[in-house]
Amino acid sequence: MGHKSDIKLIVDGKRTDGRTVDQCREVTMEVNVIPAADGSAKVGFGSTVALASVYGPRELFPRFMQESDTGILRTRYNMAPFSVDDRKKPGQDRRSQEISKVMKHALEPVLFLQEFPKVTVDAFAEVIQADGSTRVTGINAVSLALVAAGIPMSHMVTAVSVGKADGELVTDLNGKEDNFGEADMGFAMVHDTGEVTLLQMDGELTLDEIKKLLDMAQTACGQILEKQKKALRDFYVKRGE
Ligand code: UDP
């Protein structure tokens, strides 16, 4: 991230994948794709694809890890070895630990965990194809999977990346923009309330650019939230038929 390079990321207002600056890649969302999970979802932003599964609420073992006055959310983000061309070394590394942690913080505020003392809700985000913006794709997927699992939530959490490539402010960074752009920002919010639950920035931006990017992120989250709702509607309508 943030490496200056000769790679052209924007030519005549078009990005490497043909998008305009404020356009998301094609967003695909499907709910309950993993039968054994209590809730699951598959979310794709272009060729970045994440699978999320949720288990619980269930009793937390070992018991000494239980919180007597609240339930807890445990999250695990993982990039599959086959998710990138040059095979990622399997297992957890510092990056995936950090992303697991920010994912937990991004989602916890909408859960009524205090209603479920001693239990855990376990959420997994598995990136099966990685082409930039995997953490936000994972957050969108886990948010859907939590709803599908019937976990009591006040709202859905919606996430997107924004940033700067070739001097232009852009929405939903692809892998090239993430690697060779000037800045990237991971963002998650509760669109209905305006509460921001993830804000990470990497690279160089002016205060004015940050303000503009936050506006772009909010607009994109509004569009993505509609797709999350549609994915849920599609699932429950189909099930009811
Ligand atoms: N990436 C990779 N191998 C890795 C980690 C990341 O190829 O071990 C790529 C992947 O396409 C990812 C991008 O680099 O989406 C940006 O990673 P970053 O850490 O910025 O997180 P993300 O934008 O995916 O949330």
Side-chain angles (χ1 to χ4, degrees), residues 79 84 88 95 130-135 178 184:
M79 255 176 77
V84 279
K88 190 200 156 284
R95 175 178 173 276
D131 182 24
S133 309
T134 61
R135 78 192 62 202
D178 200 313
D184 94 80

Side-chain angles (χ1 to χ4, degrees), residues 13-186:
K14 287 277 157 75
R15 296 158 70 177
T16 49
D17 45 22
R19 281 181 291 157
T20 56
V21 287
D22 60 353
Q23 202 179 350
C24 285
R25 290 172 285 185
E26 190 194 354
V27 179
T28 55
M29 293 188 179
E30 202 182 331
V31 171
N32 281 339
V33 292
I34 302 172
D38 292 318
S40 62
K42 183 179 173 193
V43 171
F45 277 68
S47 42
T48 291
V49 183
L51 274 174
S53 58
V54 166
Y55 299 85
R58 58 187 179 186
E59 197 175 352
L60 176 56
F61 293 108
R63 284 219 171 88
F64 72 83
M65 287 177 73
Q66 294 179 355
E67 301 269 347
S68 57
D69 54 351
T70 183
I72 62 169
L73 170 70
R74 296 192 295 187
T75 50
R76 198 189 82 143
Y77 162 100
N78 186 53
M79 255 176 77
F82 54 81
S83 64
V84 279
D85 286 345
D86 48 349
R87 186 181 183 272
K88 190 200 156 284
K89 192 166 165 267
Q92 294 281 289
D93 50 21
R94 284 180 62 107
R95 175 178 173 276
S96 58
Q97 283 172 12
E98 180 231 311
I99 298 179
S100 300
K101 184 165 180 282
V102 300
M103 200 170 250
K104 174 179 158 77
H105 293 313
L107 293 156
E108 245 171 1
V110 298
L111 302 178
F112 295 103
L113 288 169
Q114 60 286 359
E115 314 254 325
F116 305 97
K118 299 182 182 171
V119 308
T120 180
V121 173
D122 294 329
F124 301 85
E126 198 71 25
V127 176
I128 56 173
Q129 277 192 176
D131 182 24
S133 309
T134 61
R135 78 192 62 202
V136 290
T137 306
I139 290 170
N140 286 321
V142 173
S143 181
L144 272 177
L146 286 164
V147 178
I151 308 293
M153 292 162 77
S154 60
H155 296 92
M156 203 117 68
V157 173
T158 307
V160 74
S161 71
V162 288
K164 189 173 172 183
D166 261 350
E168 300 267 2
L169 302 183
V170 292
T171 300
D172 180 28
L173 279 71
N174 63 31
K176 276 197 193 112
E177 292 166 343
D178 200 313
N179 271 313
F180 304 112
E182 291 96 284
D184 94 80
M185 202 190 260

